Each structure stands twice: as structure tokens, then as C-alpha cells.
Amino acid sequence: MSFQNISWDVADGIGTLTINRPKQLNALDAATLGEIAGALELARVQPGEVRALILTGAGEKAFVAGADIAAMAKLGPAEAREFAALGHRTLNALEALPVVTIAAVNGFALGGGCELAMACDLIYASERARFGQPEVNLGLIPGFGGTQRLIRRVGLMRAKEMIFSGEVYDAATARAAGLCLEVLPPERLLEHARAKARVIASRGPAAVATCKRVMQQGADQLLPQALDAERLAFAGLFGTAETKEGMAAFLEKRPASFTTR
Ligand code: DAK
């Protein structure tokens, strides 16, 4: 599969997806969303090859400055519904990917860019990162899940402040709000994200994927249902080669060798 608007690279089990439209501050149009979906599908269908995925933006200025406003300005209501559906499908696929995803937010993460980061499992930011949902400045509402995912990340009141005001927040404020885990000097951001990815990629891939699924689904469930899901998932791993290997390696005092997902 060839890409024009993103670049996709896999090295040592770590996929890096870079949104690559720096002249438009990596804004998301339909073609770019389609390419992101294509790369996610590659990651999903290549078990073991991609064990963690990093998302970032090309250039020094932006992670993703939002949905492409020039493209959106041409849409009528029916096309807008299709565009929002494409955004939802792509971000839902990202959230459900059976490998851990890490957003390395290197600059503006506004609107659809903030929503893209929030569909990742972990978010690290550079000191240059700026987060916000400025859609109300354009007479829009967040259309790629922001009204819902932001609540789950920062709580209802802070999410309301961010979305109602459309203001842009610096990285330290975003971190204090729980929107990113750590803030790093720009030149250390990718290295930090890769180091975390490598740790995660070295763990039992089926165990990590199962944790992700149960935690992600559990966050939207009542506790008794979520605990049922955990119990079933725990039992489901017994009898797999990975679980046998993990426990055998401990008992034999050797490092575990995990090969498949
Ligand atoms: N879309 C398209 N082009 C963009 C862009 C964007 N979101 N953001 C920046 N650009 C382009 C600029 O137009 C400019 O292009 P040229 O003029 O050079 O051709 C170039 O990138 C550089 O931008 P600036 O010259 O503006 O750079 P500055 O450093 O002065 O400012 C900025 C950087 C990030 C503060 C500024 O560019 C900015 O405010 N950008 C817009 C940010 C924004 O509002 N993002 C939210 C977009 S709305 C829905 C589906 C989806 C959505 C909603 C509904 N449905 C279908 C229901 C999602 C909406 C959004 O994400």
C-alpha cells in the first residue's frame, strides 16, 4: 500500500505513523483519514510484526491542526455526515487496535488532532504542544468524538471549559488536566515515546492486547460487567502458548520469549 499524506514505518516491532501534510499543519482531510485507516489495518493484520504504534506529525509545528477546514468548507450536510462517519470509523479503529498506541504530540493538536491523540492509549507531549477543541470558533462542534472522549480524559467540567471556550492550552496545563502523561523537550519526545513503546512491545503481546480490550471496554461499563469481562479474559489466556511461556520462563529463571500476538 502506498501513502501520500502519511508515512508508515515499522522497525523492531514498533510502527510509526506520521501525518505528513506539514504545509497544512497536518490537517486531516478524507484522503488522509483513509490512509490512516489503511495503515491501522496493516498493523492489525500483521500479528507480531507491529507490537506498538506511535502517531506523530511531520514538521516542527503541528501534530495535527484539526480537520482540514478548506475541505470541510465545501461540504453540504450529507457529505459532512459521511466525513464525520469516516472520522469516527478511523478513530474507533485506532482505539480498538489490538496493539498499544502512543500519540507523540509535537505541536498543535487542535480539533480533530486533539481527538486523534485522545483515541490513542497514551499521550506524550513536547514543550511545544498545544491542545484544544476550537470548533466553536468555526461554528462547529467537535466531530471526531471530542465531546465524548474529552469528558473521559479530563472530566466533565474541564471538558466543558475547553469545548465551550475553544481556547488553546499549553502542554503543562494539558498535563495538569490529565490530557497528556509527560511533557518533554521537543528533541526528546520521539525517543521517549519509542522507549515506552519498546518496553510495552517486550511484554506478552496477547496479554497486553487483552488488557487493552478489557480496560477500554470496562471504562464504558458498570463495574460488575467489567469484572465479568476481566474474569473471562483472564481465563481465556490460560492454555495459550504465550501464557505457558510467560509462567514457565519465570519458574525456569529465564527471560520469556514472546513471539506471537
Ligand atoms: N485545516 C486546513 N488548513 C489549515 C488548518 C486546518 N485545520 N490549520 C492550519 N492550516 C493551514 C493554514 O491555512 C495555512 O495555510 P496557508 O495559508 O499557508 O496556505 C497553514 O496551514 C499554516 O497555518 P497558519 O498560517 O494559520 O499558521 P499560524 O502559526 O499562524 O497558526 C494555528 C497556527 C494552528 C493556530 C492556526 O493555523 C489555526 O488556528 N488553525 C486552525 C485550527 C483549528 O481551528 N482546528 C480545528 C479544525 S475544526 C465534523 C467533522 C469534523 C470536525 C467537526 C465536525 N462533522 C462533519 C460534523 C472537526 C473539526 C475540526 O477539527
Side-chain angles (χ1 to χ4, degrees):
M1 186 177 272
S2 73
F3 299 114
Q4 271 80 51
N5 298 339
I6 68 165
S7 60
W8 169 244
D9 166 70
V10 182
D12 301 328
I14 299 173
T16 304
L17 193 167
T18 307
I19 320 294
N20 194 8
R21 302 181 76 214
K23 283 190 186 138
Q24 292 85 10
L25 302 189
N26 304 322
L28 301 174
D29 59 2
T32 309
L33 283 168
E35 291 191 12
I36 294 171
L40 295 178
E41 190 55 17
L42 288 180
R44 199 181 65 79
V45 300
Q46 293 173 332
E49 222 167 280
V50 180
R51 290 186 170 196
L53 179 72
I54 296 172
L55 262 91
T56 194
E60 298 199 335
K61 224 170 140 179
F63 173 69
V64 167
D68 188 316
I69 299 169
M72 269 197 308
K74 297 180 192 136
L75 304 180
E79 294 157 313
R81 206 166 33 243
E82 252 175 57
F83 185 56
L86 173 63
H88 277 224
R89 269 200 311 278
T90 306
L91 270 55
N92 289 347
L94 177 59
E95 197 168 64
L97 202 70
V99 298
V100 170
T101 55
I102 301 177
V105 176
N106 53 312
F108 289 111
L110 302 180
C114 189
E115 292 167 305
L116 183 69
M118 289 192 292
C120 293
D121 297 307
L122 309 176
I123 304 177
Y124 299 107
S126 101
E127 288 159 352
R128 278 205 282 263
R130 298 287 179 271
F131 293 83
Q133 297 287 163
E135 285 86 349
V136 291
N137 292 325
L138 301 165
L140 295 171
I141 71 164
F144 294 159
T147 59
Q148 305 310 311
R149 287 198 178 95
L150 192 58
I151 295 170
R152 286 158 172 78
R153 292 277 177 168
V154 303
L156 183 58
M157 189 161 68
R158 176 67 83 176
K160 282 180 171 174
E161 184 201 57
M162 286 182 70
I163 289 178
F164 297 168
S165 73
E167 283 174 337
V168 173
Y169 295 76
D170 66 18
T173 308
R175 185 184 180 204
L179 197 45
C180 61
L181 286 169
E182 274 166 64
V183 179
L184 298 127
E187 66 282 4
R188 288 203 42 232
L189 175 65
L190 268 181
E191 172 201 321
H192 182 82
R194 286 197 186 110
K196 284 290 176 207
R198 274 196 297 276
V199 171
I200 293 165
S202 73
R203 309 307 191 204
V208 172
T210 304
C211 289
K212 171 167 172 169
R213 178 173 54 78
V214 171
M215 292 170 84
Q216 198 65 50
Q217 292 173 355
D220 292 328
Q221 288 171 332
L222 295 173
L223 186 62
Q225 282 174 292
L227 290 174
D228 281 350
E230 183 197 71
R231 203 175 52 251
L232 282 175
F234 178 83
L237 285 171
F238 279 75
T240 66
E242 178 179 310
T243 303
K244 282 192 171 54
E245 164 61 12
M247 291 194 284
F250 175 81
L251 295 173
E252 292 160 19
K253 301 190 188 306
R254 61 174 173 82
S257 166
F258 296 123
T259 50
T260 53
R261 184 161 80 204

